[in-house]
Amino acid sequence: MTEELVNWSGSLRFTPGRIERPTSEEELSRIVRRAAAEEKTVRPIGSMHTSSPIFVTDDILVSLAHLRGVASYDPGQSEATVLPGTPLHVLGDALHAHGLAVPNLGDIDVQQVAGAIATGTHGTGRSMQSLSCMLVGGRLLTAAGEIMAFSIEEDPEFVRAVRVSLGTLGIFTALRLRLLSAYDLRRREWCTTIDRCCLHLEDLIAENRNFDFYWYPRSDTVKLRTWNRPGEGPDDIPYATLVEDRTGPAHRMLSKSRSLKFHEMEYALPAKTGYECFERVRTAVLEKHRRNVGWRVLYRTVAPDDSCLSVASGRPTVTISLHQNATLPFWDYFRDIELIFVEYGGRPHWAKKHTLKADDLRPLYPEWDRFRKIRRQMDPGGVFMTPPLYDLLEGGE
Amino acid sequence: MKPIGRTLWVVPGGHIPLYSTGKEPRCTSNDSLSVLNATDRDAHLQITIFYTDRDPVGPYPLDVAAERVRNFRFNDLINPEAMPLDTDYAAVIESDVPVVVQFSRQDTGRAENAICTTMAFPGE
């Protein structure tokens, strides 16, 4: 009998029909061809850090864990081709050994690179795009079981679609990434009040390469986090207390090890009304949810991009994340705050908790129909489509 | 200095007030512990929270450096999970070295602020 799988936070449990762990493109091709012949669906999984059911299937689950590592690199072009099952923290060390580094990372780096890219995972920084924007080429196993090479030089429109595609256009077997030369970052964390943070927010966002803040509902205080190249950024934040100061390779400074598991909802909002939305969220938490919610709320920025289904597509973006301990109820809290996010035109993170369906999402993405057309062309038989994905990506005619 | 304190302490009457008035965080209603570690070794505390209607939760780990005092609010405990406000609870505090534990409650739910404080009950 196939084993039951549980995602990182424990909120999703399912038992697929079978789990495949291919070690080559050829083996993966045979798996997909056989599935298509049997009219089964195939879903790829990464590290299962995802907490939305986009990878859940009753049929065939494909783990890419054996397809990992850096396949080739070119420091002169600041590019590398990596395999899909490479965890981000492994990728960071491997790239560093070749004199390369990712431009940005999220707070957590346990995800596999293909999953992080395909779901539009991001870090923070007003000029920092999502991780998906690193993708400039690669290889994709299609629903027909064939390998398709793609590149931004030959087909930029396809790359704009495939970057954030939730594994519905095919399964990445290699990803060519545009990177930076290896660099150091100085990471500092500061404690201050919400009023001071609000007063200086625009400067904090503008003056630091990467900046975000956590708001703590139980004390109405904040922690500011800044990342800058050594010698750059503000010398001091005089209205805050410095509590952490470290410098090192960028990939080790951007993310932090997290052992405590949590549920998360995150929405991406237009930057110009991002803080106004945050204040609405803060008020709602203080007035209605503080009894049961102790975890912090995270405020980040993301630069706009042109990927069809990126949450930052076409607009400077602020993201607001809600957290709740994995052992505690979360839906009452998340659903209530989600109403505020939706009111502000928020787009939910594809890999986190939300309740939106295709009809809700379509008006939020100007290139929704173009993506859907490409998806239908790439996978007319729905080999990569499951009921949760039909709910998410189809409909909305 | 002779060892001061005990390795087991109990606070049976916990209840974090829900409402606060005044500027936070100074005026946030809270339950708190003050822990004195007068020994020359770091203290590693484990706190278990008991409720009226569900299983205990814990341990909540907390360290107090040698020859230091540390104050913390139950409101801020997050690992393994946030405690509910406005809910009766009891706390059992275990330490690997003798410490002295004092419990305090600040209730700012009304403009007339109230603070009460007492020694926790020392176990054997």
Side-chain angles (χ1 to χ4, degrees):
Chain A
M1 183 176 171
T2 311
E3 62 189 291
E4 182 187 53
L5 296 180
V6 183
N7 74 326
W8 177 78
S9 68
S11 65
L12 293 173
R13 294 175 177 274
F14 69 104
T15 303
R18 66 175 186 269
I19 303 173
E20 302 280 6
R21 297 179 175 86
T23 57
S24 67
E25 278 185 343
E26 293 72 24
E27 188 178 351
L28 179 59
S29 175
R30 285 195 294 274
I31 292 166
V32 172
R33 286 175 193 268
R34 180 180 161 198
E38 295 174 350
E39 298 186 340
K40 302 276 191 187
T41 59
V42 178
R43 290 302 300 158
I45 54 163
S47 60
M48 290 203 295
H49 199 269
T50 299
S51 57
S52 70
I54 56 176
F55 63 93
V56 171
T57 180
D58 294 334
D59 288 345
I60 299 156
L61 202 64
V62 175
S63 164
L64 302 174
H66 294 314
L67 300 175
R68 60 186 275 169
V70 176
S72 63
Y73 61 97
D74 183 346
Q77 294 292 318
S78 291
E79 288 188 355
T81 296
V82 306
L83 301 184
T86 311
L88 290 176
H89 61 94
V90 173
L91 177 68
D93 286 338
L95 292 177
H96 188 72
H98 298 309
L100 293 167
V102 293
N104 207 5
L105 282 173
D107 195 47
I108 289 173
D109 62 2
V110 302
Q111 308 95 322
Q112 293 179 6
V113 62
I117 284 177
T119 57
T121 295
H122 61 89
T124 189
R126 78 188 196 292
S127 62
M128 310 305 299
Q129 295 178 317
S130 84
L131 274 57
S132 311
C133 292
M134 292 190 294
L135 185 70
V136 293
R139 291 162 68 82
L140 194 70
L141 189 84
T142 69
E146 297 169 349
I147 290 294
M148 171 185 167
F150 63 92
S151 74
I152 200 164
E153 295 83 3
E154 293 181 2
D155 193 349
E157 294 304 300
F158 182 77
V159 172
R160 291 201 305 117
V162 79
R163 276 174 169 162
V164 184
S165 56
L166 314 180
T168 63
L169 304 190
I171 299 174
F172 290 124
T173 59
L175 303 98
R176 180 162 64 90
L177 306 180
R178 184 162 294 161
L179 304 162
L180 299 176
S181 297
Y183 62 104
D184 283 352
L185 283 177
R186 182 182 185 189
R187 174 193 180 114
R188 287 181 289 179
E189 299 188 3
W190 321 70
C191 292
T192 189
T193 66
I194 185 66
D195 292 342
R196 288 169 176 162
C197 173
C198 172
L199 188 64
H200 299 279
L201 184 60
E202 291 306 315
D203 289 342
L204 288 164
I205 292 171
E207 294 172 358
N208 292 285
R209 180 187 190 272
N210 311 74
F211 164 79
D212 63 25
F213 75 83
Y214 281 112
W215 172 67
Y216 294 86
R218 291 281 175 88
S219 58
D220 203 21
T221 55
V222 299
K223 177 181 280 185
L224 315 175
R225 304 192 301 179
T226 64
W227 294 260
N228 291 289
R229 293 192 186 231
E232 298 181 358
D235 290 336
D236 190 19
I237 300 180
Y239 49 86
T241 303
L242 184 67
V243 294
E244 182 176 328
D245 188 352
R246 294 186 289 136
T247 300
H251 68 283
R252 293 186 187 168
M253 295 297 108
L254 287 164
S255 301
K256 208 167 187 176
S257 177
R258 303 281 178 203
S259 58
L260 191 55
K261 295 182 178 179
F262 53 85
H263 304 296
E264 185 173 8
M265 167 179 279
E266 179 184 87
Y267 267 72
L269 306 134
K272 61 184 178 183
T273 52
Y275 193 78
E276 179 184 313
C277 179
F278 169 78
E279 276 299 334
R280 288 274 307 277
V281 171
R282 174 174 165 246
T283 299
V285 173
L286 290 175
E287 291 181 351
K288 297 163 64 178
H289 299 287
R290 189 147 75 158
R291 181 192 301 266
N292 296 312
V293 173
W295 261 51
R296 51 203 185 179
V297 175
L298 176 60
Y299 188 98
R300 296 189 282 182
T301 56
V302 187
D305 63 50
D306 61 359
S307 306
C308 298
L309 295 190
S310 166
V311 295
S313 183
R315 66 190 195 192
T317 292
V318 156
T319 65
I320 300 174
S321 310
L322 314 177
H323 304 88
Q324 177 75 315
N325 286 104
T327 53
L328 295 175
F330 60 95
W331 271 121
D332 285 351
Y333 170 41
F334 284 4
R335 281 199 184 99
D336 187 51
I337 303 299
E338 187 178 46
L339 297 173
I340 301 173
F341 291 145
V342 170
E343 189 181 326
Y344 279 83
R347 298 165 174 164
H349 193 302
W350 294 106
K352 299 176 183 177
K353 298 294 186 191
H354 69 92
T355 67
L356 300 197
K357 306 293 186 191
D359 288 352
D360 310 306
L361 293 162
R362 186 185 180 209
L364 299 172
Y365 289 91
E367 297 204 77
W368 183 267
D369 289 348
R370 201 175 78 78
F371 176 85
R372 189 166 56 183
K373 181 180 177 184
I374 292 172
R375 193 208 67 71
R376 289 172 177 174
Q377 288 171 342
M378 290 291 294
D379 184 16
V383 173
F384 299 123
M385 292 293 285
T386 55
L389 284 167
Y390 277 112
D391 285 346
L392 201 62
L393 298 176
E394 290 294 328
E397 295 289 354
Chain B
M1 181 181 293
K2 288 175 61 179
I4 304 173
R6 300 285 178 86
T7 56
L8 178 65
W9 295 85
V10 182
V11 175
H15 186 107
I16 307 169
L18 177 59
Y19 299 106
S20 300
T21 57
K23 197 75 173 173
E24 297 199 36
R26 190 170 62 87
C27 293
T28 309
S29 290
N30 68 82
D31 280 6
S32 68
L33 287 185
S34 301
V35 182
L36 167 64
N37 175 14
T39 75
D40 58 4
R41 289 193 294 139
D42 292 349
H44 305 286
L45 276 60
Q46 294 204 323
I47 302 173
T48 303
I49 303 297
F50 293 76
Y51 293 101
T52 59
D53 58 356
R54 64 184 178 111
D55 290 341
V57 177
Y60 292 81
L62 192 79
D63 294 341
V64 182
E67 299 179 327
R68 293 289 185 274
V69 64
R70 182 173 175 188
N71 301 300
F72 71 91
R73 296 178 175 186
F74 285 94
N75 308 42
D76 297 330
L77 293 180
I78 199 73
N79 181 10
E81 67 180 38
M83 293 172 58
L85 308 185
D86 197 26
T87 301
D88 292 337
Y89 72 91
V92 174
I93 302 112
E94 297 171 273
S95 173
D96 58 354
V97 300
V99 293
V100 181
V101 176
Q102 181 175 345
F103 172 77
S104 299
R105 173 170 304 144
Q106 171 173 277
D107 188 345
T108 67
R110 297 185 179 189
E112 299 80 12
N113 295 344
I115 297 176
C116 62
T117 185
T118 183
M119 296 306 298
F121 176 81
E124 292 300 324

